[in-house]
Amino acid sequence: MSLLLFHGIANKNNKVETFGMLSICHYSSCTRQGKGIGNWFELCNDILGLIVDQFSAIEDIVHFGAVCRPWRSVSVKKLHFSTIVDPWLMLAEKEDSDNRGFYSLSTKKVYHLNLPEARSRKCWSSCGWLITLGLDLEIHLLNPFSRDQIRLPPQPTLPGQYPSIVGPEFVRRVFIWKVILSSRPTRDDDDEKCVVMVIFSEFKKLAFLRLGDEVWTPLDSHRGITDVVNFNGQFYAITHQGKLLIVDISSPHPKTIEFAEPAERINIYAKFYLVESVGELFMVEQDVYEACEPPTSDNHIHETDGFDVYKFNFDNKKWPSRIVYGRCQDK
């Protein structure tokens, strides 16, 4: 689960100011002047922005923002609204804790953030934000950097609800399968650029909203959708049969449209995922088999046998007839 987060580091010899989740160190060198030394404090934001744009690791951006307040404001903007090359992965929640662990792909370290807003809530991530769902069935967008929250229409505004006798814990666990954003929310979303898309219900259908909507809008969509992704400004979905769909939300009657047939020789019993990488659209096939442990037990479990990767060809609207990245065994 990719997240764009950070971890602040403060030196005990420097003054520390808490700003949201970030520890800021005020270094005297930021404003030191002398012969041949300029006032770095007065560098304009455009130049600072060009500098911070060269960073791909969240840790580097945070260290840059720890120099002084003007530099901090630029790093805040970078973490808020830009795409970070090296994301963090969110780890499973520890019981009875407001802290959440995140694994940095660049430093191979685990960092912990205080996020009480995510405590005991089911979480997804998209575009550097968390989407949280609690036992109250309220849904929020949560920025892990500033801890700002945007309230979305609650889960019961989606169609196809379970009977009232079904408890909220079960509903929270199984009703919503995935949530993604089309883009990062901005401070002014009057242009309705940010779209939130969900896979929901036991039939795994699609619904969406634009920030500011009071209810979710269901699509006239295929059933059995296993994944959805926003690629080059367009939503694509894939079914449990491996069919690629275009998600059309621009028409008065939002719907899914079949775009490509399944790849040849795929395992129709596998799970399918869509991934955007380096400007290409990929399908990951996860082969799963059912096993019993021990053999005489009725307790069936599912294990992963391996992964196959396909790259979509938009010229002929087909997946390749063979696997393009070989087989990765999950052993």
Side-chain angles (χ1 to χ4, degrees):
M1 179 177 300
S2 296
L3 297 178
L4 311 180
L5 307 180
F6 65 90
H7 180 69
I9 300 176
N11 188 299
K12 64 181 181 181
N13 296 322
N14 295 297
K15 179 182 177 182
V16 177
E17 175 187 354
T18 300
F19 179 79
M21 303 287 293
L22 178 61
S23 297
I24 303 299
C25 309
H26 298 285
Y27 293 93
S28 59
S29 60
C30 186
T31 57
R32 185 182 300 152
Q33 292 186 3
K35 186 176 180 181
I37 301 177
N39 189 347
W40 288 81
F41 182 87
E42 296 180 352
L43 280 177
C44 70
N45 285 351
D46 289 342
I47 294 178
L48 293 175
L50 291 174
I51 296 172
V52 79
D53 281 344
Q54 305 306 308
F55 301 144
S56 62
I58 295 168
E59 295 82 0
D60 292 338
I61 299 171
V62 173
H63 295 161
F64 180 89
V67 173
C68 57
R69 291 184 179 180
W71 292 27
R72 178 187 68 187
S73 65
V74 176
S75 66
V76 167
K77 184 177 180 180
K78 173 72 172 180
L79 288 166
H80 243 77
F81 305 115
S82 301
T83 300
I84 311 299
V85 176
D86 300 330
W88 284 9
L89 304 179
M90 188 173 186
L91 306 180
E93 180 180 19
K94 292 185 177 180
E95 189 174 356
D96 298 327
S97 175
D98 288 342
N99 291 329
R100 300 301 295 259
F102 300 88
Y103 178 76
S104 170
L105 297 177
S106 58
T107 65
K108 296 180 173 56
K109 295 180 180 179
V110 175
Y111 300 100
H112 293 89
L113 304 179
N114 184 44
L115 284 176
E117 298 85 355
R119 181 171 181 168
S120 300
R121 302 180 72 86
K122 187 175 181 179
C123 296
W124 299 266
S125 68
S126 182
C127 297
W129 286 65
L130 294 177
I131 303 97
T132 68
L133 173 65
L135 287 176
D136 55 6
L137 301 184
E138 291 287 334
I139 306 173
H140 291 85
L141 300 184
L142 171 62
N143 188 301
F145 175 69
S146 65
R147 289 169 59 178
D148 289 341
Q149 292 196 85
I150 301 174
R151 184 179 181 273
L152 302 181
Q155 184 268 338
T157 63
L158 285 161
Q161 294 293 315
Y162 287 104
S164 58
I165 60 173
V166 177
E169 186 172 351
F170 177 82
V171 173
R172 181 188 63 172
R173 180 166 57 88
V174 305
F175 190 78
I176 294 179
W177 298 86
K178 183 172 183 176
V179 190
I180 64 168
L181 308 178
S182 63
S183 60
R184 289 190 172 202
T186 64
R187 291 190 176 97
D188 183 5
D189 275 297
D190 292 337
D191 54 3
E192 298 182 342
K193 286 185 178 179
C194 182
V195 176
V196 186
M197 185 75 62
V198 301
I199 303 175
F200 73 99
S201 87
E202 59 183 315
F203 302 113
K204 294 188 177 179
K205 302 189 72 174
L206 290 173
F208 76 98
L209 61 81
R210 294 179 173 86
L211 290 189
D213 289 353
E214 296 183 358
V215 296
W216 295 91
T217 300
L219 283 91
D220 180 14
S221 66
H222 292 64
R223 294 186 177 189
I225 290 175
T226 63
D227 202 8
V228 61
V229 68
N230 188 272
F231 175 71
N232 288 342
Q234 172 66 58
F235 284 103
Y236 294 89
I238 193 164
T239 70
H240 66 90
Q241 299 171 329
K243 290 185 177 182
L244 185 65
L245 312 174
I246 285 180
V247 184
D248 179 14
I249 61 173
S250 61
S251 66
H253 302 287
K255 59 185 180 298
T256 55
I257 304 168
E258 291 191 12
F259 186 65
E261 291 297 315
E264 297 180 11
R265 296 197 298 272
I266 64 168
N267 180 359
I268 61 173
Y269 300 104
K271 294 182 179 180
F272 302 104
Y273 303 91
L274 294 175
V275 178
E276 184 274 333
S277 180
V278 294
E280 304 283 357
L281 182 64
F282 295 87
M283 177 184 68
V284 178
E285 174 190 316
Q286 179 189 14
D287 290 330
V288 179
Y289 68 92
E290 191 172 278
C292 295
E293 289 290 342
T296 57
S297 172
D298 291 330
N299 183 26
H300 292 270
I301 61 174
H302 294 85
E303 294 187 357
T304 299
D305 185 49
F307 298 88
D308 296 324
V309 182
Y310 298 79
K311 182 171 71 173
F312 189 70
N313 187 330
F314 278 89
D315 292 332
N316 59 16
K317 296 182 181 180
K318 290 183 178 181
W319 300 105
S321 58
R322 61 183 178 86
I323 301 164
V324 296
Y325 282 101
R327 186 169 184 78
C328 301
Q329 294 292 336
D330 183 32
K331 297 293 187 183

